Amino acid sequence: MILRKIGRNEYKGYLEFANECIANRVYPMSIVTGTQDGDIYTDDKGCTLFWHYCGFAYISGNVSEDVLEEVYQKFFVPDTERRFVLITDSEHASNYYSGNNDLRIDKRIEYTHGGIPEHRPILDDNYIVERITADNIGDIRGRITPFFSWKDSDTFLRNGFGCIARNKADGSFAAVAFSSAVSPEEVDIGVETAEAHRHHGLASYLAYRMCEEIIQQGRRPVWAHAETNAGSQKTALSVGFKPCRINTVIHK
């Protein structure tokens, strides 16, 4: 075995390695700081693997082919308890897995925030917005919700934040924007709109509010999405994000 799983009492010693994850820092940093759940593995030679609760995984440092092969055998081949999605900007890693018929190679666009746009999106009169609390977190529906990246609601409410939109007429859940990953310097934004309430500008409005709050906290907003997700791209551009890199996504 090349990779050794480290104990949680050792996590803070890997702060430097998390900060060196150029492909994305906020998810590895959220693990190291104990803000969110995840596992850390090391080859004790300068290579570190961060596996976030949501399934996103990142490799920092000089990664050898032996490490890449062990990652394949340990995380891609078996049915793991949670999904394993390797996100990397390493051409070496991408090339190593590219010929494997059991794996899928996709692209993920990462953004940097260029500042709050002057014109704030307008909230549709048919909706109201609430902050996420213990009283309403259970009403959130969809795939990209706080439960996507947070182990439980208590941890999210303690370390994360967000807001939801409701339909005024019946109070039904319409959309959510929340902190998908949190580090001392950055916050990744997750957004989900219920199908029945799309095309009302809710994603842009809630994402704008999130960006405002993140900047007020002295942190940087983070955004990323699958290369094919045109809706997410439209929302990102509308609230001040600019594409900065394209990462490779490797998964079953």
Side-chain angles (χ1 to χ4, degrees):
M1 298 291 288
I2 298 170
L3 291 173
R4 174 178 65 89
K5 184 177 180 179
I6 70 168
R8 293 186 182 274
N9 61 320
E10 301 179 68
Y11 276 18
K12 289 187 178 179
Y14 288 80
L15 187 65
E16 179 182 347
F17 295 100
N19 201 42
E20 290 176 355
C21 281
I22 299 173
N24 182 294
R25 293 186 179 91
V26 63
Y27 283 90
M29 289 291 288
S30 74
I31 299 172
V32 169
T33 56
T35 306
Q36 290 172 273
D37 288 272
D39 300 315
I40 302 177
Y41 296 81
T42 178
D43 68 351
D44 292 312
K45 296 179 181 178
C47 179
T48 308
L49 171 69
F50 300 90
W51 187 18
H52 195 272
Y53 171 79
C54 74
F56 290 168
Y58 301 88
I59 295 180
S60 172
N62 296 319
V63 55
S64 66
E65 289 193 357
D66 288 341
V67 167
L68 293 173
E69 180 60 27
E70 183 163 324
V71 166
Y72 174 69
Q73 296 295 340
K74 188 178 182 69
F75 301 106
F76 284 127
V77 172
D79 292 325
T80 53
E81 186 177 350
R82 66 181 185 276
R83 65 176 186 159
F84 185 87
V85 180
L86 182 61
I87 301 174
T88 180
D89 63 346
S90 167
E91 187 175 350
H92 174 51
S94 300
N95 290 340
Y96 185 83
Y97 294 121
S98 63
N100 191 315
N101 293 329
D102 294 328
L103 299 178
R104 178 174 168 177
I105 310 293
D106 293 318
K107 297 296 182 182
R108 180 177 174 86
I109 303 176
E110 304 277 345
Y111 290 80
T112 183
H113 197 253
I116 295 293
E118 182 179 346
H119 300 291
R120 179 179 185 144
I122 298 173
L123 179 64
D124 188 307
D125 287 339
N126 294 309
Y127 298 92
I128 58 172
V129 171
E130 306 169 347
R131 192 168 184 83
I132 300 175
T133 67
D135 293 329
N136 61 26
I137 192 170
D139 298 335
I140 300 172
R141 299 288 182 269
R143 187 174 65 90
I144 305 300
T145 73
F147 300 105
F148 161 78
S149 56
W150 296 83
K151 192 173 184 178
D152 53 61
S153 58
D154 288 343
T155 307
F156 170 77
L157 293 170
R158 183 171 62 251
N159 297 330
F161 58 96
C163 46
I164 67 172
R166 291 185 184 277
N167 182 272
K168 276 185 181 179
D170 59 10
S172 62
F173 166 77
V176 62
F178 66 99
S179 53
S180 184
V182 176
S183 78
E185 296 182 349
E186 297 178 315
V187 177
D188 183 56
I189 302 172
V191 175
E192 177 91 351
T193 303
E195 188 171 356
H197 299 283
R198 290 173 185 169
H199 310 298
H200 290 275
L202 295 175
S204 292
Y205 181 83
L206 295 182
Y208 189 100
R209 281 189 49 158
M210 285 292 294
C211 287
E212 281 187 316
E213 181 164 353
I214 293 165
I215 291 172
Q216 287 171 2
Q217 293 174 359
R219 310 192 212 202
R220 294 188 299 272
V222 173
W223 192 282
H225 61 75
E227 188 176 41
T228 56
N229 193 337
S232 185
Q233 182 177 55
K234 182 179 179 181
T235 300
L237 296 175
S238 73
V239 297
F241 285 100
K242 299 177 181 179
C244 62
R245 73 171 61 85
I246 296 180
N247 288 327
T248 299
V249 181
I250 305 163
H251 54 115
K252 284 187 176 183

